[in-house]
Each structure stands twice: as structure tokens, then as C-alpha cells.
Amino acid sequence: MAAAAPATCYETGHLLHVVGRLAVWADRAGLPREPDVWLRTETIDAFVLSGCVGMYGSTLQTLRSRARRVREALVWVQRGETPSARLSSPRDPHPPYERGELARLRSWAGHLPGQARLDGLALMALGAGCGLMPGEVIRVRGSHIRLTRSKVAVLDEELLGRLVACHTSWGLVLAELVEAAGAGYLFRPGRKVEAAKNLVNSWPARHRPNAGLPPLSARRLRSTWIVGLLAAGISEAVVAQAAGMASPAALAAYHRWVPPLPEEEVIRLLHRHRR
């Protein structure tokens, strides 16, 4: 993994987590203890389909993507072969909320009655505060969140396959949600199944904000989080990794919403030197 990391956008520890799981699964399945066998496309696909019980959607895609990037780095590149083409269709990200809209939506959600208030705040805190995708929002439990020594809320790396720390502006909200949920789900804890179709989208359809405010959207909340970090000057590599993206190149579509830096800040950054 140390050899593969420089050829990918991932840290060694994140690759070790994925390939370690893959290797253990392959060994239990009776496959030879050879990296060439573990990293075959058919082995990776079989691992994702049958060796990742309890994982869904984007998490499975992340595991598969990282395993394939390791394969490219260690198998194909070392043999002088050209990596296979990655087929994908460009997707336009959802636009972020404006700052005033987000503040008003937060106030609206905070005044909803009973469980609706906690659900609305959970959707916002996990989206605008942590940048989670809809399929990830529904899987987060109170037990998946820990506080660092500096009181920063951090989400379980094993659950997401990456490191995510809650933005400071949503830390207190997330702490309240964890206290209320205990070990249960933060979003819609009364459900009988872990995942269901339209579990996230059906909530905004039932709870519409006041006239003039746009509806809550998990994808728009995630875009708001991404654009906010980019506007704050956070490294693109850090943002992409925290967002679960395969490469910082995936952030290109979000830059249309990132405001330009003031001239004084540009001068300061260009003049700054390393000590």
C-alpha cells in the first residue's frame, strides 16, 4: 500500500483498510495468498458483492474504486500496461444554498415539532456540516460519532471509508443529535429497515419550508459543504478525500460557485513562504 499510495490520491492507511478487508475475505474464500489474485477485477467485484455485508451504495462504490486504483498502481503500471478506460458520464452537481437560505432553513428546521425537528437538523448537519451523500446520511448512528481531544466531532472511518470531521458551525447541533439518538440512527430513527428507497427524499416532500425558501435537498447540502471548504482555501486534495471522491479533478464542476479571493488575500498567499 505504501508503494501504491503515491500513484493514487489516497493515503496509505485508507488503501490498507480496503485491501486488508479484501485480502481477509479472499483468504476465507480459499483463494491463494497472492496480490495478483486479490486484485483481479473479478475478485474485487465478488468481494464487493458478497464480502461487504451491511454496506450500501456509495460506500461499496468507494471500496471498489479504491481497490481498482490499487490494481492499476501495482499490477498494470508495473507491467507497463495502459490502465483500462474509465467510462463515466459527466454529472452536473446540485447548486449550493446561498448563505442566507441556509441560515433560514436551519431556523425553520429548528422550529419544527417533535421528531421532525431532529430529522431536519440531522439532514442538515450531516449534509452541510459533514458533506455526506444521501445514502450515507441514513446509515449514521450516534455510536458512529466520536469527539477528539479538542472536542471535534469525527465520523467513524470504517463506516464511510474515509475521514470526515464535522464543520465547527454544526458541532453543537450534531452533539445534540447524538445525545438524543444514543446508539440509534440520527436521521429518521423510527424506521424499521436500515435503508429504503426514497428514505431521504421523502422527508423534504412531507416537510416543506415557508414560502420563498427552497426545499431541503441532501445533494444541495453536500454541495454547500464542498463549496464552503473550497472558498475557505482548504486543499482540494483534502476536500476530495473527505467527500469520498476518487480525485480532486471531480471538484472542477464546483468551482463555478466558489467566489474569488479578495486582492489582499491573493497577495498574502502569493507572498507567503514556507519556513
Side-chain angles (χ1 to χ4, degrees), residues 71-94:
R71 172 180 171 80
E72 290 180 4
L74 295 183
V75 182
W76 293 345
V77 174
Q78 288 185 2
R79 292 177 180 175
E81 300 176 18
T82 303
S84 61
R86 302 178 193 175
L87 302 178
S88 62
S89 57
R91 287 192 305 174
D92 241 9
H94 291 242

Side-chain angles (χ1 to χ4, degrees), residues 108 123 188 198-209 215-216:
W108 164 76
L123 184 58
R188 305 186 75 169
N198 294 325
L199 188 61
V200 173
N201 293 336
S202 62
W203 191 92
R206 296 177 181 176
H207 303 84
R208 297 185 177 276
L216 273 185

Side-chain angles (χ1 to χ4, degrees), residues 24-195:
V24 171
W25 173 84
D27 188 61
R28 290 175 177 172
L31 298 177
R33 296 182 178 180
E34 295 291 340
D36 276 0
V37 176
W38 302 341
L39 295 171
R40 289 174 182 168
T41 301
E42 58 268 27
T43 304
I44 294 172
D45 289 345
F47 163 66
V48 171
L49 289 172
S50 62
C52 301
V53 178
M55 296 185 178
Y56 301 92
S58 58
T59 301
L60 293 178
Q61 293 175 10
T62 298
L63 289 175
R64 184 173 180 268
S65 175
R66 292 186 179 182
R68 288 197 166 200
R69 298 298 80 79
V70 172
R71 172 180 171 80
E72 290 180 4
L74 295 183
V75 182
W76 293 345
V77 174
Q78 288 185 2
R79 292 177 180 175
E81 300 176 18
T82 303
S84 61
R86 302 178 193 175
L87 302 178
S88 62
S89 57
R91 287 192 305 174
D92 241 9
H94 291 242
Y97 289 107
E98 297 179 4
R99 180 171 298 183
E101 290 178 336
L102 191 66
R104 290 164 61 198
L105 283 170
R106 181 170 177 170
S107 175
W108 164 76
H111 287 85
L112 291 174
Q115 185 59 44
R117 172 181 174 274
L118 296 177
D119 288 338
L121 291 176
L123 184 58
M124 296 194 72
L126 295 174
C130 303
L132 299 194
M133 291 172 272
E136 296 170 333
V137 168
I138 62 177
R139 293 169 38 227
V140 177
R141 295 175 177 266
S143 54
H144 290 144
I145 299 171
R146 63 179 175 86
L147 289 179
T148 65
R149 293 181 179 178
S150 54
K151 305 301 181 183
V152 177
V154 176
L155 277 66
D156 187 359
E157 289 187 55
E158 187 171 349
L159 173 72
L160 300 174
R162 63 186 188 276
L163 177 62
V164 176
C166 181
H167 193 276
T168 181
S169 60
W170 291 95
L172 293 177
V173 173
L174 196 59
E176 178 192 351
L177 294 169
V178 170
E179 183 177 357
Y185 294 112
L186 263 65
F187 179 69
R188 305 186 75 169
R191 58 186 132 118
K192 298 180 180 179
V193 294
E194 181 177 28

Side-chain angles (χ1 to χ4, degrees), residues 1 11-23 47 55 63 66 157-162:
M1 294 312 98
E11 294 181 0
T12 303
H14 292 160
L15 296 182
L16 184 61
H17 170 74
V18 174
V19 178
R21 292 185 63 126
L22 171 60
F47 163 66
M55 296 185 178
L63 289 175
R66 292 186 179 182
E157 289 187 55
E158 187 171 349
L159 173 72
L160 300 174
R162 63 186 188 276

